[in-house]
Amino acid sequence: MKLGFKYIDGGICAAQGYKASGTYCGIKRPANDTPDTKHKNDICLFTSDVPANTAAVYTQNKVKGAPLIVTKANLEKSGGKAIAVIANSKNANTCNADGIEKAQKMCDLVADELGIPSEQVIVASTGVIGQVLPIEPIEAAVPVLAKGLCYNKNLEAATAIMTTDTVKKEFAVEFKIGGTTCKIGGMAKGSGMIHPNMATTLNFITSDCAISAEMLQKALSEIVQITYNCLSVDGDTSTNDMVVLMANGLALNEEINSEGEDYEIFKSALCEVMANLTKMLAKDGEGATKLIVSSCRTAPDVKTATTVAKSVVCSNLLKCAIFGEDANWGRILCAIGYADADFDINGVGVDIASAKGSVAVCRNGAGVPFSEEKAAEILSEDEIFVNIELNCGDVSAKAWGCDLTYDYVKINGDYRS
Amino acid sequence: MKLGFKYIDGGICAAQGYKASGTYCGIKRPANDTPDTKHKNDICLFTSDVPANTAAVYTQNKVKGAPLIVTKANLEKSGGKAIAVIANSKNANTCNADGIEKAQKMCDLVADELGIPSEQVIVASTGVIGQVLPIEPIEAAVPVLAKGLCYNKNLEAATAIMTTDTVKKEFAVEFKIGGTTCKIGGMAKGSGMIHPNMATTLNFITSDCAISAEMLQKALSEIVQITYNCLSVDGDTSTNDMVVLMANGLALNEEINSEGEDYEIFKSALCEVMANLTKMLAKDGEGATKLIVSSCRTAPDVKTATTVAKSVVCSNLLKCAIFGEDANWGRILCAIGYADADFDINGVGVDIASAKGSVAVCRNGAGVPFSEEKAAEILSEDEIFVNIELNCGDVSAKAWGCDLTYDYVKINGDYRS
C-alpha cells in the first residue's frame, strides 16, 4: 500500500475482463537461422471482453516499424477502440518492403479468428530490424493463441514479448474511484535501443476503469513524459517503441470525462504502474548490473529538471564509472554541464547515495572532500542514486538508467547471430 | 602530396620559429595517489619565437576548466597574441575552488621564466576532474621545460598531453601561399569524453603563415565545424576542450587579411591537418579497435548531412555491432531515423565499405539482399565506412567515430585508480 494504491499481481490480466495467452511459434532467429532451442514464447495475444477505449504513443524515430503504422491507422478507423492485441518478438518487421502487408495480415488473422473487426486489433513487433517477417508460423499460432486465452495467463504474454530481457516486467495496482475498485496493470519489454522520445519499448497497459478516450490519451501522454521519456539505456531510440493503454470500463465507476479528483487519482495510479515498469526497464538494461536513478531538484522548471536528470543517466562515462564502483563525480558535473538547459553551474550540489547511505561530493560546482571508503561502500549496492540540487527553483524530476558493462558490448556485438 | 599539400614531420615544431619541450614532473595520479611508475611526460611547454596571432575555440560545456577561463581572458587582454603554451595531463584542474588561481599561477611561472607578459601565455590541462591540482611539481618543472625548449622536441610535447591515448597524434603539411612555402602542424590528445560541441579535446596547431587574427579565427571556427565537431567517441562533451591555433608570420608570405585565393589555400591546409588529427582521435578512441567513418551524401544542406552522419557514429548499438563485425544495418537505419533532421526516410540508401570492398544493404529505406559472407569480410578491416545517400540534394558531410568495446568499459570503469 502506497499513496492509496495496493500493489497486486496479474500484470495485463489484473484488471477485469482481460484475457491473455502466449506461445512459441518458431519465428526464425535472424541472420544465421539457428533454431531457438529454448523455445521461449515468441508471440502473444490479449483481449478485452468488451471494446476498450485505447490510447497510444509511438516512437519519434523517422523509421517506424510497420506494426506502428498499421496500429495507428486501425485506432483512427475504430475511433480509438480496440479489443485485441497481438505482439511478437524476434523480428521487428521494420524496414521491410512487405512490412505493412504482413502487419495488416497479423490483424486480419486475429480478427477472423475472434470474429471482430480488423481495425479493433493492435499489432506490435520487436526484435531485429530489416529481416523479412515469416508469416507462416504466425498463421499457425493465431488459432492456438485464441484457444489459449485465459484470465490469468498474463505471464505467458509477458514472456512472449521479451527479447534480450532477462526478467519479465509486470506491475499492477488497485485503487478506488468514487468508492469503486479499479485496477491498472501492465507489461513491458526492454532492454536495449532504449532512449525514449515520446514513447519507449513495447508497453501494454490495461485498466477496467471507465474513462473517456480523450482523457485516457491525455493521461497517457502526460505520464509518458515523466516516466518512459526519462529512461535511457543506451541513447538509441528504437524504431518500434509503442505504449498502448486500454480501458474497458468494466469496473463500472462513473466515467471520468473531465479533469478533477477522479482523473487525478487515475493518473497517479497510471504513473505508479508506468514509473515502476520504467524502473524495471532501466534495471534490466542490456548487460546492466546496477540501476542508476538521477534526481534533479530545486530546478526552475520541469524541462530543466528533466534535461539535467536525463543527461546524467545518459553519460557513457558515468555509466562505466558506476559499473566500476568508482566515485568519479567529475563525470556527473560534466554531464550536468553539457545538458542543454539554462542554470548557474556554480550553484550545483551533488550527492551520491544508495541503501548504504549518502555522501556529498560537490557543492557550489566544486568538489568537497569526502571519504572514498564510504563512497565505495555506497557504490557497492545495485541501486545507485545521484541527487542533484540546482539551487535555483523548486521543481524536481527523475531519470532512470543503468551502468554500461562488458555484457552490453557482448550482447550487442553479436545480436543477430 | 595530396591536393597541393606535402605531408611533413615535426608536429607543432614543423612550422618555423616554434620550440617545444616536455618532461615528467610527477603530478600525482588521482584518488589513490599511486605513483606513475611509467614516468610518462606529464607537462609540456612550447613557444613561438615572436608573438603569434592566436585563435581559439572552447568547449560548450557549462562546466569549463579553469585553464580555459584563464586562457580566454589572457587572449582578450593580449589582443589575440600569444608566445607560449603550457599544458599538463593527469589533472584537468576543473571544478576546483582554487582552479583559476592555479591556472593563473601556471601562466605567471612561464611568463617569469621566459620574461614575457603573462597574458601572452596559454594554459591547458587535461585529466581527472575535481581533484586539486598540485602546483609544486609544476613550479619545479617550468625552469626545466624552459631550458629544454628546442626546435625539434615536438614529440616530447605530444606525449606529455596524452591521457588514455595509446599513440601520440601529430600531423603537419607544407604548402605555398603566393610562391612562399608555409607550414601548419598540430598535435592533439583524445581519447574519451569526446563529443565535440564547438571544439574538442586538446588541440594545438601552429603555423608560420602570415594571417590576420580575424581571418585566423574565421578559418579555425569554420574548419572546426567540419572536423572536430563531427567526431564522437562516447557522447560525452569534455569540460576542458580547447583548440588553439597560432600563426607567427615567419614564413613571410604576404599577410592574408581577407577572403580570397590565399585564404582558401590556408583553410584547405588547416582542414587537412585538422581532419587528419580528427581521424587519429577517432581511431584511438578509448578501447577502440576500429575507426568508423560515416559519410552522408545527397543531403539538402550541410546541417542535415552533418546531423545524419554524426547520429550514425554516435549510436552505441552500431558501435557494438561494428566491434562484433556484425552487418546489423538496421541499427544504421535506426540511427539515421532518430537524427534530428528533415528528410524522407523512404529515399535512404546505405552501403557498408572498407578496403575489402563495398556492399549495398539498404535502398529506399528498406533492406536489400546481400552476401553476409562479403559483409563479414568487409567488416574484418579496421577502418569501416558507412556510406549514406539521402537522395534529396547534393551536399555531403563526414563524421568520425569508433567501435564500443570491452576495453572502453574497462578503462572507464576504473579511470581514477
Side-chain angles (χ1 to χ4, degrees), chain A residues 34-58:
Chain A
T34 311
D36 180 356
T37 48
K38 282 186 287 187
H39 284 217
K40 176 190 93 58
N41 283 356
D42 56 10
I43 192 158
C44 69
L45 177 68
F46 67 92
T47 58
S48 169
D49 289 348
V50 296
N53 284 339
T54 301
V57 285
Y58 309 93

Side-chain angles (χ1 to χ4, degrees), chain A residues 62 236 315 326 337-338 341 416, chain B residues 62 236 315 326 337-338 341 416:
Chain A
K62 270 179 213 69
D236 278 276
S315 160
D326 179 15
Y338 63 67
R416 295 188 317 158
Chain B
K62 271 181 212 69
D236 278 276
S315 160
D326 179 15
Y338 64 67
R416 296 188 317 158

